[in-house]
Every structure is written in structure tokens, then in C-alpha cells.
Amino acid sequence: MSQRIEGRRSFLKGSIAAAAAAVAPAISSAEKTHAGSPGPATRPNIIIYHSDQFRWDFVGANGRNGSTNTPNIDALAARGKNFSHTVTNQPVCAPSRSVLFTSRYATETGVWHNGLALDKSLPTLATELHKAGYSANYIGKWHLALENPKIGGSPGPVKLEDRGGFVDLWEVANAIENTSHPYEGTIWDRDNQPIAFKDEYRVDFLTDRAERFLRQKQEKPFLLVISQLEPHQQNDAHRPVAPNGVAKRYVNSTVPEDLRALPGTWQDQLPDYYGCIEAIDASVGRVRRILEEEHLADNTIFVFMSDHGCHFMTRNQEYKRSTHNSSIRVPLIIDGPGFRGSQQIPELVGIIDIAPTLLEAAGVPVPDSWKGRSLLSLVNDPEARQNWPNQQLIQISESMTGRALRTKDWTYCVADLTGNTKEPAAASYHEYQFYDQRADPHELVNLAGRKEYRAKADELREQLKKLLTAAGEPEPEIVPARLYP
């Protein structure tokens, strides 16, 4: 099936008020006149297209990489809202996903490192939309159930109670990187029966499953998550794997400036990473075309995002789990009702803000327990943009126990220097990394311990403490850096 977008639909530019006026209780199936055609009073459908380990600067619309081939994602940005300064609040797969779906910090979700299960008591995006009449559907990688078989966990099938409120279509592997390879593998359906694929690229296989769902008659407004593994590395190969023959087209492509000065795996792995990005973009284009053909596009909010970035072992001994932009900056593009009209929004936002944004856009109440802020006010309200806090809390686990404050101008990171990574938080941290985002956006000069920056470090330290207590953590001791690294 061709993956090229066939033509473009001209979208009206609507205000938030106009979008809100279109939000009303879901209609019955009797009101539908086409398999997928929305009636006059339906809530918007929501698709979250989640690409794992996708760097923000590999989106062509972000203008930082001349070798990236992302025409379909760029077209999405040209139609909708590009939140160009988005960060993850936990730069590793499972904790980041827990933040996305609960709008709580990873230390509150039960998933503060990989392999843990999501706290079943928490309201999620799926539970709240389902209560409002949505079907809740998921395809691909989950990573929010226990993974240790010795204590009842698995990288494959996921128990119903561990699905975070996704109670309808379910075609998932808990950790798909452990149950598949790029051209073969298995996911499991709602009844935990296997769905195998072979001789088809994994991205295309999961897109096939999404097409199968979208071509069906929808009795309700739907939430659909399409969760791809690529461009994440294939774990047992220790590298990303592009579709056959594609990586060779990207030999000698652009090397991001934060990588080129540092040793790592990028010299060998960037061509495959570029090839995976191309495959993801083609999949996005295919899904968008299906929405057009099924008359769903006008009433579907489409979100393109990632859980974290990739630094190719330049900052620690793996691919993420650091406070650097290459780990924490992610793409976030939203198109559809309430988000139409090309706009780049530069305010600093977090993954924690996505779920409340989508509930507000759907006219569904946001739980009081959620910690994120809706981004809808940034779309059309200049005053809201002026008053936006522009700071995000980053929690780091596994590589170290660390915390960071990210503002538009600064990254201030503290770490537990004892090396203990067995606890979700520490009572005492030391200043560890400090970057000036204005003068050093590629984070090559660590300012921690520089006396001329002491006053700014003290200011950021107090801000970080306030964010930590707001996230439910005890206020820690933070020891100033004494030596310039």
C-alpha cells in the first residue's frame, strides 16, 4: 500500500472557543451516516502516535537537521501546533510512559524505573476518556506491567488489570523489543492470544494493525495509541535497525552538534537511526491518509510524540537516562480540533502536560490529582504564554539517582554521588551538571562549581527543591559543587 499522502485537505483555522463548541456528549451509532463519519455533536477522536527514542531535532520542521527525511511529520506541523520545546519528565521508556498516561511524576506512578507496574489506583487518560464514552485502544509497546517472570511479570502478554484502562482493542507486547525483531515477532490480543508477524518490517506491521482498526465502523469516539519501538535500538543487537537497504542512503549524513565532539556509537549507528526515522514518517503519512479516506480526519486530534531522545552513548554507557537535551527534548506536534493552524509554540512544556491537554480538548474533566497543565491556553492566548512558568522537573533513574530543573535558559542537575540506584529518590544530592542553554545549547561546557555562576545555581537549587516537594518528595539536601569539573 502506498505510504505517500495523496493530496492535502484544507483545514479551517478554528479558535479554542469554536473547538469547545464542537465538544458535546458522544452520539449513538444510529446518528452515524458513514463508517467513521462523525455526527454533528461527537467528541473528537484522539490518536497518540508514540515513537520510541525519537530525538526532537530529527523532525525536519524543527529545522536543526539537514539530512532528516520527515515530510509527513513536517506536514503535520504545518497544519497544527508544534510544541518545539517539549521535554520528557523521565528520560527512560517505562517511567516516561507512566507520566504520559497519569500526568503524575514517575515517583508517584509506581514506575520510577523500567520493569515495574503502573499503580492501578491512579486515573489515567484511558480511564477518564472511557468514563466519558470513548473506546480505549492500544497497539504496540506498553512497558507498564511487571517484566520479571519470577514475580508474575512478562515482556509479552499483559494482564487485563495492568492495562491502564485500555479495555477495548489491545494488540500489545509489554516490551516489544524483547518479543520481536525488525522483521519477525509476536504481540498479543485482548485475550492474550498471540499475533505473529514475519517478513514485514515491524513499523509497517503495527501500522497494518492500526489500519485494520481505523477501517472498521466506530460506534464511539475513540482513543487509539500507536506505540512504535523504532527508532529505539533492538536490545539484543545493541543498535537501531533500519528497513533493509535504507541505512546505506544515510551514510555520511548530518551529525548533530551535540554528538560530533564526543565519543559514542553514533559513528556506526546514525545511518540506521535515520532509516528508522524515515520508516516512522512513512507510517505517520499512511495513518493520516487512512483518516482522510475514512472521513475521520476532520474530527480527530492527532498527537505525534516520543518518550525520550537518544545520545548514542555520548553522555553515559547507554542511549538516554541523562539530563541532556539529546535525552530529554522530544517532538510534540498536535493537529486537529482545537489545534488547527500552523503555529510553533516555543514555551517549555513537559510530557506530564499532554494528558490534561487532551482531556480539556475533548471536554472531559481533568482529575484534581493530576500534576500537568493543559497546553490549550498556549495556542491562542498571548497572556497565558507570557505567564507560562517555563520550568520542568526531570527525574532520572537507573544510570544514577538524579533530579534536574530545566528552564528555557538553564539546566541544573543534581545527583546522588553514592551511586545508589536502588531507591526512587535520595535524601541528599550534590550539584552535578549545569548548562547555559543560551550560550551552550549543545551542552559541551559543564558550569557546575564555577564561582561566577554561584548566585544563579543557588536560585535554581531553591526552585528545584520547590518542584520536588510539589511532586511529593521530601525536600532533600543539595550540596553545592566545590570543584569545577
Side-chain angles (χ1 to χ4, degrees), residues 257-259 262-264 311-327 432-433 435 440-445:
E257 291 187 43
D258 63 287
L259 301 180
L262 300 171
H311 61 64
F312 294 94
M313 298 189 179
T314 57
R315 304 294 186 166
N316 55 37
Q317 291 302 304
E318 47 100 272
Y319 292 88
K320 57 267 186 181
R321 298 179 177 91
S322 83
T323 190
H324 302 89
N325 285 326
S326 49
S327 281
Y432 180 55
Q433 291 164 331
Y435 297 105
D440 182 25
H442 308 300
E443 299 164 321
L444 300 177
V445 180

Side-chain angles (χ1 to χ4, degrees), residues 373-388:
R373 300 161 60 100
S374 171
L375 305 179
L376 270 173
S377 62
L378 293 177
V379 172
N380 284 326
D381 186 352
E383 183 176 347
R385 293 197 291 270
Q386 292 175 2
N387 296 324
W388 193 257

